[in-house]
Amino acid sequence: MKLTEENYYSTESDAAYMSYSQLKAFLTCEAAAMYADREPPTTAMLVGSYVDAWFEGTLDKFQAENPQIFKKDGSLKADYQTAEKIIQRVQEDEMFMRYMSGEKQVIMTGEIAGAPYKIKMDSYHAGKAIVDLKCMRDMNYRWSDYTACKVPFVEAFGYDMQAAIYREIVRQNTGDTLPYFLAVATKEDPPDIALAGIPAEVLDEKLRFVEEITPHIQAVWAGQIPPHRCGVCAYCRRTKKITEILDYRELGRYNQ
Ligand SMILES: [Zn+2]
């Protein structure tokens, strides 16, 4: 299947290729990733897409396709006014704009641990660097599901894993192992901005992790292994059936 801007996020494309977002969904809850209806994009995701669309030069199209971002009087809802503030702020920064000046929304495909993967890069500087734009609430450390302590938001959201996948797929397509940068803007008022690199050794380690977990996820996806239920997500709560009495100390999560 040939991927294009139009079909990249389609059900067919998701069935044909693994992606960072699918991998993240499976790591969060295999059962929900398999069976839950696809949620419509959250406001937080749409704010990011709004800024992406501006960088790509397709904001008019984005606004036309997403009428829910406007109030009845035709003005932008508060969340998208925040997106406008981010756009104004980043334009004032020469270095931020230079890193975001690569080719936009570049799609590539490749293979990791025998599984087909797809990627879509926000700003691709061929032969030089991969840059991904992130619009965050703030840049603070976050609680992680895997460690009982706060970690950098890049790790908490798995952006290091996304970076490892992108760098590897670009390497397979071009032979270049490129440095990877995050162009970060926050939804604070006024917005904060930063450029951050992810060191090569972190990307090496994360790629090994992706290579390790991909065969299991493929097997679950193919129906060879029953999906694990996380027990706490919306899908698991909705479909829960009580079969045993728990010790009270098993209730809840420590790190929330
Ligand atoms: Zn779950």
Side-chain angles (χ1 to χ4, degrees), residues 195-247:
L195 290 165
I198 305 182
E201 64 268 23
V202 173
L203 298 179
D204 294 343
E205 187 197 320
K206 285 291 153 185
L207 180 61
R208 280 195 295 275
F209 174 71
V210 174
E211 286 166 346
E212 264 168 41
I213 59 170
T214 293
H216 170 77
I217 290 170
Q218 285 283 97
V220 174
W221 182 249
Q224 293 155 356
I225 300 174
H228 176 258
R229 295 171 61 90
C230 77
V232 292
C233 75
Y235 173 80
C236 287
R237 295 199 307 271
R238 202 159 49 231
T239 54
K240 186 173 185 177
K241 188 162 180 288
I242 295 174
T243 56
E244 61 177 339
I245 303 287
L246 299 174
D247 183 294

Coordinates of all heavy atoms in Angstrom, one line a residue, residues 195-247:
L195 N 14.4 24.1 21.8 CA 14.9 23.1 20.9 C 15.6 22.1 21.7 O 16.5 22.5 22.6 CB 15.8 23.6 19.8 CG 15.1 24.5 18.8 CD1 16.1 25.3 18.0 CD2 14.2 23.7 17.8
A196 N 15.4 20.8 21.6 CA 16.0 19.8 22.4 C 16.5 18.6 21.6 O 15.7 18.1 20.7 CB 15.1 19.3 23.5
G197 N 17.7 18.1 21.8 CA 18.1 16.9 21.1 C 17.9 15.7 21.9 O 17.8 15.7 23.2
I198 N 17.8 14.5 21.3 CA 17.8 13.2 22.0 C 19.1 12.5 21.6 O 19.3 12.2 20.4 CB 16.6 12.4 21.6 CG1 15.3 13.2 21.8 CG2 16.6 11.1 22.4 CD1 14.0 12.4 21.5
P199 N 20.0 12.3 22.6 CA 21.3 11.7 22.3 C 21.2 10.4 21.6 O 20.3 9.6 21.8 CB 22.0 11.5 23.6 CG 21.2 12.4 24.6 CD 19.8 12.5 24.0
A200 N 22.2 10.1 20.7 CA 22.2 8.9 19.9 C 22.1 7.6 20.7 O 21.5 6.7 20.3 CB 23.5 8.9 19.0
E201 N 22.8 7.6 21.9 CA 22.8 6.4 22.7 C 21.4 6.1 23.3 O 21.0 5.0 23.4 CB 23.9 6.4 23.8 CG 23.7 7.5 24.9 CD 24.4 8.8 24.5 OE1 24.7 9.0 23.3 OE2 24.7 9.5 25.5
V202 N 20.6 7.2 23.5 CA 19.2 7.0 24.0 C 18.4 6.4 22.8 O 17.6 5.5 23.0 CB 18.6 8.3 24.4 CG1 17.1 8.2 24.7 CG2 19.4 8.9 25.7
L203 N 18.6 6.9 21.6 CA 17.9 6.4 20.4 C 18.3 4.9 20.2 O 17.4 4.1 19.8 CB 18.2 7.3 19.2 CG 17.7 8.7 19.4 CD1 18.0 9.5 18.1 CD2 16.2 8.8 19.7
D204 N 19.6 4.6 20.3 CA 20.0 3.2 20.1 C 19.3 2.3 21.1 O 18.8 1.2 20.7 CB 21.5 3.1 20.4 CG 22.3 3.8 19.4 OD1 21.8 4.2 18.3 OD2 23.5 4.1 19.6
E205 N 19.2 2.7 22.3 CA 18.6 1.9 23.4 C 17.1 1.7 23.1 O 16.5 0.6 23.2 CB 18.8 2.5 24.7 CG 18.4 1.7 25.9 CD 18.2 2.6 27.2 OE1 19.1 3.5 27.4 OE2 17.3 2.4 27.9
K206 N 16.4 2.8 22.7 CA 15.0 2.8 22.5 C 14.7 2.0 21.2 O 13.7 1.3 21.2 CB 14.5 4.2 22.3 CG 14.3 5.0 23.6 CD 13.2 4.4 24.4 CE 13.5 4.6 25.9 NZ 12.5 4.0 26.8
L207 N 15.6 2.0 20.2 CA 15.3 1.2 19.0 C 15.4 -0.3 19.4 O 14.6 -1.1 19.0 CB 16.4 1.5 17.9 CG 16.2 0.6 16.7 CD1 14.8 0.9 16.0 CD2 17.3 0.9 15.7
R208 N 16.3 -0.7 20.3 CA 16.4 -2.1 20.8 C 15.1 -2.5 21.5 O 14.6 -3.6 21.3 CB 17.6 -2.3 21.7 CG 19.0 -2.4 20.9 CD 20.1 -2.9 21.8 NE 20.4 -2.0 22.9 CZ 21.3 -1.0 22.8 NH1 21.9 -0.8 21.6 NH2 21.6 -0.3 23.8
F209 N 14.6 -1.5 22.3 CA 13.3 -1.8 23.0 C 12.2 -2.0 22.0 O 11.4 -3.0 22.1 CB 13.0 -0.6 23.9 CG 11.7 -0.7 24.6 CD1 11.4 -1.6 25.6 CD2 10.6 0.1 24.2 CE1 10.2 -1.7 26.2 CE2 9.4 0.1 24.8 CZ 9.2 -0.9 25.8
V210 N 12.1 -1.2 20.9 CA 11.1 -1.3 19.9 C 11.2 -2.7 19.2 O 10.3 -3.4 18.9 CB 11.1 -0.1 18.9 CG1 10.1 -0.4 17.8 CG2 10.8 1.2 19.6
E211 N 12.5 -3.0 18.9 CA 12.8 -4.3 18.2 C 12.3 -5.5 19.1 O 11.9 -6.5 18.6 CB 14.2 -4.4 17.9 CG 14.7 -3.5 16.7 CD 16.2 -3.4 16.6 OE1 16.9 -3.8 17.5 OE2 16.6 -2.9 15.5
E212 N 12.5 -5.3 20.4 CA 12.1 -6.4 21.4 C 10.6 -6.6 21.5 O 10.1 -7.7 21.5 CB 12.7 -6.1 22.8 CG 14.0 -6.7 23.1 CD 14.5 -6.1 24.4 OE1 13.8 -5.8 25.3 OE2 15.8 -5.8 24.4
I213 N 9.9 -5.5 21.5 CA 8.4 -5.6 21.8 C 7.6 -5.8 20.5 O 6.5 -6.3 20.6 CB 7.9 -4.4 22.6 CG1 8.1 -3.1 21.8 CG2 8.5 -4.3 23.9 CD1 7.4 -1.9 22.3
T214 N 8.2 -5.4 19.3 CA 7.4 -5.5 18.1 C 6.8 -6.9 17.8 O 5.6 -7.0 17.5 CB 8.2 -4.9 16.9 OG1 8.3 -3.5 17.2 CG2 7.5 -5.1 15.6
P215 N 7.6 -8.0 17.9 CA 7.1 -9.3 17.6 C 5.9 -9.7 18.5 O 4.9 -10.3 18.0 CB 8.3 -10.2 17.8 CG 9.5 -9.4 17.7 CD 9.1 -8.0 18.2
H216 N 5.9 -9.3 19.7 CA 4.8 -9.6 20.6 C 3.6 -8.9 20.2 O 2.5 -9.4 20.1 CB 5.1 -9.2 22.1 CG 4.0 -9.3 23.0 ND1 3.4 -10.5 23.5 CD2 3.2 -8.3 23.5 CE1 2.4 -10.2 24.2 NE2 2.2 -8.9 24.2
I217 N 3.7 -7.6 19.8 CA 2.6 -6.8 19.4 C 2.0 -7.3 18.1 O 0.8 -7.4 17.9 CB 3.0 -5.3 19.3 CG1 3.2 -4.8 20.8 CG2 1.9 -4.5 18.6 CD1 3.8 -3.4 20.9
Q218 N 2.9 -7.7 17.2 CA 2.5 -8.3 15.9 C 1.6 -9.5 16.2 O 0.6 -9.8 15.5 CB 3.7 -8.7 15.1 CG 4.3 -7.5 14.4 CD 3.6 -7.0 13.2 OE1 2.8 -6.1 13.3 NE2 3.7 -7.7 12.1
A219 N 2.1 -10.4 17.2 CA 1.4 -11.6 17.5 C 0.0 -11.3 18.1 O -1.0 -12.0 17.8 CB 2.2 -12.5 18.4
V220 N -0.1 -10.3 18.9 CA -1.4 -9.9 19.5 C -2.3 -9.4 18.4 O -3.4 -9.8 18.2 CB -1.2 -8.8 20.6 CG1 -2.6 -8.3 21.1 CG2 -0.4 -9.4 21.8
W221 N -1.7 -8.6 17.5 CA -2.4 -8.0 16.4 C -3.0 -9.1 15.5 O -4.1 -9.0 15.0 CB -1.5 -7.0 15.7 CG -2.1 -6.3 14.5 CD1 -1.8 -6.5 13.2 CD2 -3.1 -5.3 14.6 NE1 -2.6 -5.6 12.4 CE2 -3.4 -4.9 13.3 CE3 -3.7 -4.6 15.6 CZ2 -4.3 -3.9 13.0 CZ3 -4.6 -3.6 15.3 CH2 -4.9 -3.2 14.0
A222 N -2.2 -10.1 15.3 CA -2.6 -11.2 14.4 C -3.6 -12.2 15.1 O -4.0 -13.2 14.5 CB -1.4 -11.9 13.9
G223 N -3.9 -12.0 16.3 CA -4.8 -12.9 17.1 C -4.1 -14.1 17.6 O -4.8 -15.1 18.0
Q224 N -2.8 -14.2 17.6 CA -2.1 -15.4 18.0 C -1.9 -15.4 19.6 O -1.7 -16.5 20.2 CB -0.7 -15.5 17.4 CG -0.8 -15.7 15.9 CD 0.4 -15.2 15.1 OE1 1.3 -14.7 15.7 NE2 0.5 -15.5 13.8
I225 N -1.9 -14.2 20.2 CA -1.8 -14.1 21.6 C -3.0 -13.2 22.1 O -3.2 -12.2 21.5 CB -0.5 -13.4 22.0 CG1 0.7 -14.2 21.6 CG2 -0.4 -13.2 23.6 CD1 2.0 -13.5 21.8
P226 N -3.8 -13.6 23.1 CA -4.9 -12.7 23.6 C -4.3 -11.4 24.1 O -3.3 -11.4 24.8 CB -5.6 -13.6 24.7 CG -4.6 -14.7 25.0 CD -3.7 -14.8 23.9
P227 N -5.0 -10.3 23.8 CA -4.5 -9.0 24.3 C -4.6 -8.9 25.8 O -5.6 -9.4 26.4 CB -5.4 -8.0 23.6 CG -6.6 -8.8 23.2 CD -6.2 -10.2 23.0
H228 N -3.6 -8.3 26.5 CA -3.6 -8.1 27.9 C -4.5 -6.9 28.2 O -4.5 -5.9 27.5 CB -2.1 -7.8 28.3 CG -2.0 -7.5 29.8 ND1 -1.9 -6.2 30.2 CD2 -2.1 -8.2 30.9 CE1 -1.8 -6.2 31.6 NE2 -2.0 -7.4 32.0
R229 N -5.2 -7.0 29.3 CA -6.1 -5.9 29.7 C -5.4 -5.1 30.8 O -4.9 -5.7 31.8 CB -7.4 -6.4 30.3 CG -8.3 -7.2 29.3 CD -9.5 -7.8 30.0 NE -10.3 -6.9 30.7 CZ -11.4 -6.3 30.1 NH1 -11.7 -6.5 28.9 NH2 -12.1 -5.4 30.8
C230 N -5.2 -3.8 30.6 CA -4.5 -3.0 31.6 C -5.4 -2.9 32.9 O -4.8 -2.7 34.0 CB -4.2 -1.6 31.1 SG -5.6 -0.5 31.0
G231 N -6.7 -3.0 32.7 CA -7.6 -3.0 33.9 C -8.0 -1.6 34.4 O -8.9 -1.5 35.2
V232 N -7.4 -0.5 33.9 CA -7.7 0.8 34.4 C -8.2 1.8 33.3 O -8.7 2.9 33.6 CB -6.5 1.4 35.2 CG1 -6.3 0.6 36.4 CG2 -5.3 1.4 34.3
C233 N -8.0 1.5 32.0 CA -8.3 2.5 31.0 C -9.9 2.5 30.8 O -10.6 1.6 31.3 CB -7.6 2.2 29.7 SG -8.3 0.8 28.8
A234 N -10.3 3.4 30.0 CA -11.8 3.6 29.7 C -12.4 2.3 29.2 O -13.4 1.8 29.6 CB -12.0 4.7 28.8
Y235 N -11.7 1.7 28.2 CA -12.1 0.4 27.6 C -12.2 -0.7 28.6 O -13.3 -1.4 28.7 CB -11.2 0.0 26.4 CG -11.6 -1.4 25.9 CD1 -12.7 -1.5 25.0 CD2 -11.0 -2.5 26.3 CE1 -13.1 -2.7 24.6 CE2 -11.3 -3.8 25.9 CZ -12.4 -3.9 25.0 OH -12.8 -5.1 24.5
C236 N -11.2 -0.8 29.4 CA -11.2 -1.9 30.5 C -12.3 -1.7 31.5 O -12.9 -2.6 32.0 CB -9.8 -2.0 31.1 SG -8.6 -2.8 30.0
R237 N -12.5 -0.4 31.9 CA -13.5 -0.1 32.9 C -14.9 -0.4 32.4 O -15.7 -1.0 33.0 CB -13.4 1.3 33.4 CG -12.2 1.7 34.1 CD -12.3 3.0 34.9 NE -12.8 4.1 34.2 CZ -12.0 5.0 33.5 NH1 -10.7 4.8 33.5 NH2 -12.5 6.0 32.8
R238 N -15.1 -0.1 31.1 CA -16.4 -0.3 30.5 C -16.7 -1.8 30.3 O -17.9 -2.1 30.4 CB -16.4 0.4 29.1 CG -17.7 0.8 28.5 CD -17.6 1.9 27.5 NE -16.6 1.6 26.5 CZ -15.6 2.4 26.1 NH1 -15.5 3.6 26.7 NH2 -14.7 2.1 25.2
T239 N -15.7 -2.6 30.1 CA -16.0 -4.0 29.8 C -15.6 -4.9 31.0 O -15.5 -6.1 30.8 CB -15.2 -4.4 28.5 OG1 -13.8 -4.1 28.8 CG2 -15.6 -3.7 27.3
K240 N -15.4 -4.3 32.2 CA -15.0 -5.1 33.3 C -16.1 -6.0 33.8 O -17.3 -5.6 33.9 CB -14.6 -4.1 34.4 CG -14.0 -4.7 35.6 CD -13.4 -3.6 36.5 CE -12.7 -4.1 37.7 NZ -12.2 -3.0 38.5
K241 N -15.7 -7.2 34.3 CA -16.6 -8.1 34.9 C -15.9 -8.6 36.2 O -14.8 -9.2 36.1 CB -17.0 -9.3 34.0 CG -18.1 -10.2 34.5 CD -18.6 -11.0 33.3 CE -19.7 -11.9 33.7 NZ -19.2 -13.1 34.5
I242 N -16.6 -8.5 37.4 CA -15.9 -8.9 38.6 C -16.0 -10.4 38.8 O -17.0 -11.0 38.6 CB -16.6 -8.2 39.8 CG1 -16.4 -6.7 39.7 CG2 -16.0 -8.7 41.1 CD1 -17.1 -5.8 40.8
T243 N -14.8 -11.0 39.0 CA -14.7 -12.4 39.1 C -14.1 -12.8 40.4 O -14.0 -14.0 40.8 CB -13.9 -13.1 38.0 OG1 -12.6 -12.4 37.9 CG2 -14.6 -12.9 36.7
E244 N -13.6 -11.9 41.2 CA -12.9 -12.2 42.4 C -12.8 -11.0 43.4 O -13.0 -9.9 43.0 CB -11.4 -12.6 42.1 CG -10.6 -11.5 41.5 CD -9.2 -11.9 41.2 OE1 -8.6 -12.8 41.9 OE2 -8.6 -11.2 40.4
I245 N -12.6 -11.3 44.7 CA -12.4 -10.3 45.7 C -10.9 -9.9 45.8 O -10.1 -10.8 45.9 CB -12.9 -10.8 47.1 CG1 -14.4 -11.2 47.0 CG2 -12.7 -9.7 48.1 CD1 -15.4 -10.1 46.9
L246 N -10.6 -8.7 45.7 CA -9.2 -8.2 45.8 C -8.9 -7.8 47.2 O -9.7 -7.5 48.0 CB -9.0 -7.0 44.9 CG -9.3 -7.2 43.4 CD1 -9.1 -5.9 42.7 CD2 -8.3 -8.2 42.8
D247 N -7.6 -7.9 47.5 CA -7.1 -7.3 48.7 C -7.1 -5.8 48.5 O -6.8 -5.3 47.4 CB -5.6 -7.7 48.9 CG -5.0 -7.2 50.2 OD1 -4.8 -6.0 50.3 OD2 -4.7 -8.0 51.1

